[in-house]
Amino acid sequence: GVESHILPDSPLASGHLFVNPGKHGFPIWNQYASSGGHLADPRVIASRAMVNTRGVFRENLAQFKSAGDLSLVQGATYTVLNGFNYSPPDIEFPGWIHSGSYLSPSSPWWPYLPQWVVYSSRVWSVLQQSRPVVQIAILAPTSDVWSEAGLSAKAFRQTPWYAHQLWKTFSQHGCSADYVSQKVLQRAKCENGKLCCGAMKYDALIIVDASSLAPATTSA
């Protein structure tokens, strides 16, 4: 989204992968989706919820709520359930299970699912009628990494290791951060001490370990 000349009309993040109790991944693509959505100023920035790739049948609603809340902190304003697992009666345990949660009346937390749905709906309603306030823009060395190592379809390149963790540090100190690209900065303007990118106005730009910048970026 943030690398494209065309801003997203309806950004969708992959969501947080639930790996095991007490531990969630922090996929940067959630942050990228919300950053691109902020620039385009859409009201709906979606993220998948109830994604489970391990610990089948051992998940609980509290863990999914924690992962969903983290998506909201990252800028999502809408949640899409990942999927519904089903199996024919003659298939041995655990059946046709790929990813997503096993939504079924046999789940012990099934009676409480409506409470999570109502809670989420109320939060979405507020967020979709609000305007995001983000103080910091982060430029990761994406161009350098891609020029040296290319793209990877299997693993997201984390170079340097802290570049995609910075948003968490700022969030824990009461600030929000978006990730921008050089193409976004080339179209940006500085007005009244603010970096104006699309619909957003940032107080600061942090350039992370970049070894090269396009001339158009430095002159913007």
Side-chain angles (χ1 to χ4, degrees):
V2 293
E3 280 292 333
S4 173
H5 283 291
I6 302 175
L7 295 176
D9 295 322
S10 184
L12 170 63
S14 184
H16 288 285
L17 299 180
F18 172 70
V19 179
N20 54 52
K23 183 178 180 181
H24 300 291
F26 295 92
I28 190 59
W29 46 79
N30 250 16
Q31 203 69 32
Y32 276 165
S34 64
S35 297
H38 291 162
L39 294 174
D41 199 26
R43 290 292 181 261
V44 176
I45 300 173
S47 177
R48 292 193 299 167
M50 291 189 170
V51 182
N52 184 21
T53 57
R54 298 182 185 178
V56 178
F57 303 122
R58 294 199 297 270
E59 69 271 297
N60 62 59
L61 197 57
Q63 291 160 340
F64 283 126
K65 179 184 179 298
S66 297
D69 287 349
L70 186 56
S71 294
L72 297 177
V73 170
Q74 287 192 270
T77 64
Y78 186 75
T79 298
V80 179
L81 296 184
N82 182 65
F84 179 83
N85 289 302
Y86 66 93
S87 297
D90 58 339
I91 300 298
E92 295 182 359
F93 182 87
W96 290 349
I97 302 298
H98 176 62
S99 64
S101 176
Y102 187 76
L103 297 175
S104 168
S106 62
S107 300
W109 46 264
W110 178 263
Y112 306 99
L113 180 61
Q115 297 183 25
W116 177 81
V117 172
V118 171
Y119 157 78
S120 299
S121 299
R122 291 172 65 89
V123 175
W124 299 335
S125 178
V126 172
L127 293 177
Q128 291 175 22
Q129 297 180 62
S130 305
R131 296 187 63 86
V133 176
V134 182
Q135 295 86 1
I136 299 171
I138 300 174
L139 177 66
T142 306
S143 299
D144 295 328
V145 174
W146 287 3
S147 64
E148 295 174 1
L151 293 172
S152 174
K154 294 183 178 180
F156 198 92
R157 300 193 184 282
Q158 304 280 344
T159 305
W161 65 267
Y162 60 87
H164 295 144
Q165 308 296 320
L166 284 177
W167 72 268
K168 290 189 293 183
T169 301
F170 292 127
S171 179
Q172 292 166 356
H173 287 79
C175 297
S176 296
D178 279 344
Y179 285 80
V180 297
S181 70
Q182 292 198 49
K183 291 179 180 178
V184 169
L185 294 178
Q186 290 166 14
R187 300 192 299 271
K189 297 180 180 180
C190 290
E191 298 178 356
N192 300 320
K194 302 282 187 177
L195 177 64
C196 301
C197 303
M200 302 303 296
K201 295 182 179 181
Y202 302 107
D203 295 324
L205 169 65
I206 297 180
I207 301 175
V208 182
D209 201 25
S211 58
S212 65
L213 293 173
T217 303
T218 60
S219 62

